């Protein structure tokens, strides 16, 4: 056969002749128990493998022409982490790699960095794992100069600090022509190019999502202030051609308290275009500083976030009418009518370079 799609009864393949096999898919239903791993016979022509909750005998797996590999939801008898690395090293023609909800067991502590794995034809890399150390380790070793699509969930913040994450080389090439990057600072942090279909699209990803260029990262849960500022600094380094949209939210504020957004955030994200503030965050000091121009080294007055043209307040009762009206009048010269019944909902767009501040004119303040 050239294609096999099978359920849990795969024993018939143990002694089959599969020299011409090109695609192989194996899956079991959720709750159907853990099937016994099957050793695939030699498959020299194999191009695509998709495994859903179904393990193989990894020691004997060898597919040198493999182009697409998907391993999803294998909780028992998944390849160990060294076996996974060995598999990747043996598949230099790999174009698409998807690893999701699978436990790749460490056989030794991850102290020493592994040698880079060169995958020159890799275009799509999707890693969605609960172990941030494992996620980081894979991102550290994979080298893919022609990568076009990158999705990673549960990575840690070491990726922003260390220069040896090869997969982030030339990350600017992943930004679509729109040049838009969305940042969501909730309890964790999510970053994604726009348009992107990766998040929060449920599994299985539609075929189109696996062909759309861009990147999306989700950090581990309960990200703190320092983590957020590190991410903001990293995004700031992506260049002045990007347009940034930021959403601030704390859905667990009743249990964990209001989260204060640091004023230091204004030192980053110079191309911020849209700011959305939702429930559970304190932005009083941020808005106050955002409404005041600062002198740069030449003595010129410049606005923090000079490209900000849209402010959205959605379900943000912690922001008072006075705070928002003072901000709108100071920054944009707008006399704002505030509707207390709207739960501080406002969406106001203004043209760049048209706002005055107090007695200053727009000409006094650089954009």
């Amino acid at each position: 056969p050239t294609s096999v799609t099978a359920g849990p009864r795969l024993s018939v393949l143990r002694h089959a002749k599969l020299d011409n096999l090109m695609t192989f898919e194996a899956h079991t239903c959720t709750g159907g128990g853990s099937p016994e791993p099957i050793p695939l016979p030699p498959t020299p022509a194999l191009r695509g493998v998709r495994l859903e909750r179904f393990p193989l005998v990894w020691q004997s797996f060898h597919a040198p022409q493999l182009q697409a590999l998907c391993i999803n939801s294998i909780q028992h008898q998944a390849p160990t982490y060294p076996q996974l690395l060995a598999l990747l090293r043996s598949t230099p023609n790999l174009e698409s790699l998807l690893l999701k909800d699978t436990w790749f067991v460490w056989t030794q502590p991850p102290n020493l960095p592994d040698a880079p794995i060169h995958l020159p034809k890799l275009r799509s890399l999707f890693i969605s794992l609960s172990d941030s150390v494992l996620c980081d380790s894979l991102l550290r070793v994979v080298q893919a100069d022609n990568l076009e699509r990158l999705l990673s969930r549960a990575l840690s913040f070491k990726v922003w600090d260390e220069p040896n994450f090869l997969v982030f080389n030339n990350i600017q090439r992943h930004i679509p022509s729109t040049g838009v990057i969305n940042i969501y600072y909730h309890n964790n942090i999510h970053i994604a190019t726009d348009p992107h279909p990766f998040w929060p699209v449920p599994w299985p990803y539609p075929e189109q999502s696996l062909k759309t260029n861009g990147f999306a990262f989700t950090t581990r849960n309960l990200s703190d202030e320092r983590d957020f500022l590190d991410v903001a600094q990293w995004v700031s380094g992506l260049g002045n051609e990007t347009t940034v949209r930021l959403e601030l939210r704390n859905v667990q504020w009743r249990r964990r308290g209001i989260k204060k957004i640091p004023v230091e955030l204004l030192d980053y994200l110079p191309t911020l275009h849209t700011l959305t503030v939702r429930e559970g965050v304190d932005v009083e000091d941020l808005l106050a500083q955002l409404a005041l121009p600062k002198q740069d080294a030449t003595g010129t007055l410049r606005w923090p976030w000079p490209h900000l043209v849209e402010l959205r307040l959605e379900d943000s009762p912690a922001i008072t009418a006075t705070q928002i009206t003072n901000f709108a009048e100071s920054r944009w010269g707008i006399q704002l009518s505030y509707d207390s019944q709207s739960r501080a909902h406002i969406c106001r767009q203004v043209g760049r370079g048209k706002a005055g501040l107090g007695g200053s004119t727009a000409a006094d303040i650089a954009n």
Side-chain angles (χ1 to χ4, degrees), residues 11 20 85 94 145 159 191 198-199 220 235 241 246 250 269 285 299 347:
S11 58
N20 297 318
L85 296 189
L94 202 63
D145 295 336
V159 296
I191 312 166
F198 307 132
W199 183 85
R220 62 174 182 256
V235 173
E241 302 302 318
L246 172 64
N250 176 19
L269 307 179
D285 293 344
C347 175

Side-chain angles (χ1 to χ4, degrees), residues 261-336:
I261 303 301
V263 174
E264 290 86 344
L265 181 60
L266 296 176
D267 296 332
Y268 308 112
L269 307 179
T271 59
L272 187 76
H273 178 281
T274 301
L275 174 63
T276 300
V277 181
R278 304 188 68 177
E279 77 273 21
V281 295
D282 178 359
V283 294
E284 180 178 1
D285 293 344
L286 185 76
L287 286 181
Q289 293 299 313
L290 193 54
L292 299 174
K294 301 290 190 290
Q295 282 190 344
D296 64 13
T298 67
T300 304
L301 285 175
R302 296 186 183 277
W303 291 111
W305 291 342
H307 300 286
L308 179 67
V309 295
E310 185 171 1
L311 174 65
R312 296 175 179 267
L313 306 179
E314 301 179 3
D315 299 324
S316 49
I319 300 178
T320 67
T322 301
Q323 290 169 1
I324 190 59
T325 52
N326 287 345
F327 168 80
E329 182 175 357
S330 179
R331 175 82 184 226
W332 291 328
I334 298 172
Q335 296 292 330
L336 188 65

Side-chain angles (χ1 to χ4, degrees), residues 162-184:
E162 299 182 19
N164 58 346
F165 278 77
L166 302 176
V167 77
F168 288 132
N169 290 350
N170 302 316
I171 192 70
Q172 289 90 339
R173 295 193 319 166
H174 300 3
I175 302 174
S177 58
T178 58
V180 176
I181 297 177
N182 294 321
I183 307 175
Y184 303 86

Side-chain angles (χ1 to χ4, degrees), residues 10 18 28 51 55 80 85 98 114 119 126 130 158 165 169 188 192 204 253 258 288 290 303 305 337 350:
L10 289 176
L18 301 177
T28 60
L51 304 173
T80 64
L85 296 189
L98 193 153
D114 295 285
L119 298 173
F126 306 94
S130 59
K158 295 180 180 179
F165 278 77
N169 290 350
N188 60 356
W253 67 272
I258 298 295
L290 193 54
W303 291 111
W305 291 342
S337 175
V350 296

